Amino acid sequence: MVKFANEKSVQEFKDLLGGLQKGDKKSKFKDRTDESSATQYFQFYGYLSQQQNMLQDYVRTTTFQRAILDNHGDFVGKVVLDVGAGSGILSFFAVQAGAKHVYAVEGSCMARYCSELIQHNKYQDKITVIKGMIEEVELPEQVDTIISEPMGYMLYNERMLETYIYARKWLKRGGKMFPSQGTLYLAPFSDEGLFQEVCNKANFWYQSFFYGVDLSKLRGEAYAEYLTQPIVDTFDPRHLVARPVKHSTNFLTDSEESLRDIHIDFTFYPHTASQVHGLAFWFDVSFEGSQKTVYLSTSPSEPLTHWYQVRCLIGTPLFARPGQPILGSVTLTSNKRTKLRRQIKRCTWRAARRRSPTRWI
């Protein structure tokens, strides 16, 4: 006789058996995703505390609700797909806007909690929860509208956007996607305090007599390691020294492949003389409905969200003069070790007329 500790364990065992019965056919998701990374990812989003963190993001939650309710014409009497439904909050918004039926697809154990909320709110005739990944499940019909919250840090982190775009296979011709487009912004920043803070962390390895051991041989490697770690925080927009450059992705037309390696050329024109310590990133998304376009922004000049902003430092600060162009490029590529994440692969930039570029890898 097999005994289980709780109901969650029973459900996980049933899901495992169901997967075995379907066979070992490899999905597009499994093709691009390291198994251990996927397990960690779904465990993370299976916690109610993490769902709470997102639900309590006032800007995020109210903007999604407003985008859906203000475009009720795209939902009244429509069949809707909620990709990565989580707690099901977007599915509830779709029903509030008059959706005929919603298919809420969720890959983590949060699917069980989502079902409980639906039954508790007596929406079981309106919302059907499907446990699994959109790349592996089958829907009973095509849908009129797709809703999701697929954005990660720097927009592309976690690679949920590829899953969101894959879901278009279930979208009827002329259907809507909420959100419809995402735009990543990048701009040079000056922040001596942040730069020195990171340098001071690496300076630990300068010690030549740490409990009798000389650590200084590793200081260079430690410094390089700290520089490869993006800093997720918020900052005063006055730290920006030039207007941002942007890169947009249309979720209705762009391909999954276009998101795997993203190359962005930039030319910045500083508006003040200052040391440039790195690049800052943020994003916005638009919900382009039939009745209204609604925007959600994570800009440092807008109210704070749980996405914050992201800053990446360069090893050698670059002195910028007003009006003197700073040219270069950034490449975002899928991380082959943890494929659900994104990383800065290469950034080269230089001041105009400067012979050798400042390079950060």
Side-chain angles (χ1 to χ4, degrees):
M1 177 183 242
V2 180
K3 292 185 178 180
F4 297 93
N6 49 47
E7 184 64 29
K8 180 180 176 182
S9 299
V10 174
Q11 187 59 49
E12 289 176 348
F13 182 70
K14 288 180 179 178
D15 293 337
L16 177 60
L17 285 179
L20 291 173
Q21 290 169 355
K22 291 176 185 176
D24 196 30
K25 185 179 178 182
K26 202 168 187 181
S27 70
K28 204 166 185 180
F29 177 85
K30 290 178 180 175
D31 263 343
R32 72 164 193 259
T33 308
D34 178 75
E35 184 177 354
S36 61
S37 295
T39 299
Q40 184 181 29
Y41 177 83
F42 287 119
Q43 284 178 343
F44 179 73
Y45 284 105
Y47 289 112
L48 287 170
S49 56
Q50 177 56 25
Q51 296 295 321
Q52 179 179 337
N53 179 49
M54 295 185 289
L55 291 170
Q56 287 182 321
D57 183 337
Y58 177 81
V59 175
R60 166 198 179 269
T61 306
T62 57
T63 302
F64 267 89
Q65 186 184 44
R66 181 161 54 91
I68 291 171
L69 297 186
D70 286 359
N71 288 288
H72 54 85
D74 297 318
F75 293 89
V76 173
K78 306 290 188 181
V79 178
V80 178
L81 168 61
D82 184 356
V83 181
S87 65
I89 190 66
L90 301 188
S91 296
F92 286 112
F93 292 162
V95 173
Q96 290 171 7
K100 175 184 176 182
H101 200 84
V102 181
Y103 296 104
V105 178
E106 173 56 39
S108 77
C109 64
M110 188 55 57
R112 179 171 67 88
Y113 295 122
C114 181
S115 295
E116 291 180 9
L117 284 179
I118 290 167
Q119 292 177 20
H120 181 70
N121 285 273
K122 297 179 171 45
Y123 279 174
Q124 56 266 40
D125 61 332
K126 289 286 188 178
I127 305 174
T128 299
V129 177
I130 301 175
K131 172 73 163 62
M133 294 166 281
I134 193 64
E135 294 88 347
E136 299 180 356
V137 303
E138 290 291 325
L139 301 187
E141 58 185 318
Q142 295 291 106
V143 303
D144 302 289
T145 305
I146 299 177
I147 55 177
S148 183
E149 194 264 74
M151 303 87 73
Y153 295 128
M154 291 175 66
L155 183 61
Y156 300 102
N157 188 45
E158 296 181 354
R159 299 185 70 179
M160 178 64 181
L161 283 175
E162 290 170 57
T163 290
Y164 184 45
I165 287 175
Y166 178 88
R168 288 200 314 242
K169 66 179 286 187
W170 297 108
L171 187 64
K172 295 178 183 177
R173 184 181 295 274
K176 296 289 186 179
M177 295 182 75
F178 284 66
S180 318
Q181 180 168 282
T183 301
L184 177 67
Y185 296 85
L186 55 151
F189 71 88
S190 179
D191 192 337
E192 182 67 27
L194 177 66
F195 183 75
Q196 289 302 323
E197 179 184 339
V198 172
C199 288
N200 289 338
K201 291 179 180 178
N203 285 343
F204 167 85
W205 296 93
Y206 256 145
Q207 299 181 77
S208 59
F209 200 77
F210 181 77
Y211 291 89
V213 179
D214 184 355
L215 304 179
S216 59
K217 176 68 172 69
L218 300 180
R219 196 271 176 182
E221 286 81 355
Y223 183 63
E225 180 180 305
Y226 275 115
L227 289 176
T228 63
Q229 298 175 2
I231 300 160
V232 180
D233 66 357
T234 189
F235 60 89
D236 190 321
R238 288 175 293 186
H239 284 299
L240 300 175
V241 300
R243 293 178 62 85
V245 166
K246 62 183 182 179
H247 175 84
S248 296
T249 298
N250 188 318
F251 305 141
L252 277 161
T253 59
D254 288 350
S255 68
E256 295 173 67
E257 290 72 21
S258 69
L259 302 184
R260 291 173 189 169
D261 287 287
I262 299 170
H263 185 81
I264 306 171
D265 293 315
F266 59 73
T267 301
F268 298 118
Y269 296 92
H271 51 67
T272 185
S274 63
Q275 292 278 356
V276 174
H277 295 102
L279 291 177
F281 299 81
W282 64 93
F283 68 87
D284 63 31
V285 293
S286 61
F287 303 81
E288 299 169 13
S290 299
Q291 295 155 282
K292 187 176 183 180
T293 297
V294 177
Y295 294 92
L296 169 60
S297 175
T298 65
S299 165
S301 61
E302 296 294 330
L304 187 63
T305 71
H306 78 285
W307 288 285
Y308 297 90
Q309 294 91 41
V310 176
R311 288 187 286 175
C312 300
L313 293 167
I314 57 173
T316 304
L318 178 68
F319 182 73
R321 297 179 176 85
Q324 182 186 30
I326 300 174
L327 307 93
S329 63
V330 168
T331 299
L332 306 178
T333 190
S334 304
N335 188 315
K336 302 304 181 184
R337 183 173 58 86
T338 51
K339 294 186 178 181
L340 285 171
R341 297 185 180 278
R342 306 292 296 190
Q343 65 176 1
I344 301 289
K345 182 182 180 183
R346 181 173 61 86
C347 177
T348 61
W349 53 351
R350 61 185 175 83
R353 298 184 299 278
R354 185 183 175 104
R355 286 188 178 180
S356 58
T358 299
R359 178 169 295 184
W360 169 55
I361 298 177

